[in-house]
Amino acid sequence: MNKVILMGRLTRDPEVRYSQGENNLAIARYTLAVDRRFQRNSDQTADFISCVAFGKAAEFAEKWFKQGIKVAVTGRIQTGSYTNKDGAKVYTTEVVIEEQEFAESKNATSPNGGGAPNAPHPTPSAASGDGFMSIPEGVEDQLPFE
């Protein structure tokens, strides 16, 4: 079985390209900084994991993911290789994304540390016309976690 579950922060905005041809396919690449559970000498360490998403998942990443946000992803590890311009063989490892979602509230990532504690705020899930269910106003304030 080849299954990966990661939670980390984007190191930069996703890089999105579209394939050529009759049916353009979105391809998003981003890197997650995933904290290591155990640390040496009390230094914070992280692994930097390359991820690639295709189609609707890539379009979602392009629209909503920004540098620094915390996301949870599932997917599979894919390895490959290519020969670079110097003639050296380069080996690659990346996670092909199957599912991706936000791992913290929008307030947690805002520059001022969040707004009013009980004020409802719009979320990407509340956007209309993108295939997601609309969240009623104020329902997030009633959840036991944030």
Side-chain angles (χ1 to χ4, degrees), residues 28-87:
R29 293 186 180 278
Y30 54 87
T31 302
L32 286 183
V34 179
D35 290 334
R36 290 186 181 170
R37 177 171 266 182
F38 300 104
Q39 304 164 5
R40 291 187 178 160
N41 303 329
S42 70
D43 293 333
Q44 187 72 18
T45 56
D47 292 304
F48 298 91
I49 313 292
S50 298
C51 300
V52 61
F54 298 95
K56 295 282 186 194
E59 292 170 7
F60 181 86
E62 178 180 34
K63 185 172 183 179
W64 299 111
F65 286 5
K66 300 292 179 216
Q67 179 180 354
I69 69 164
K70 191 173 193 178
V71 297
V73 300
T74 61
R76 61 184 169 81
I77 291 180
Q78 181 171 287
T79 60
S81 65
Y82 64 92
T83 304
N84 68 11
K85 62 182 176 184
D86 299 328

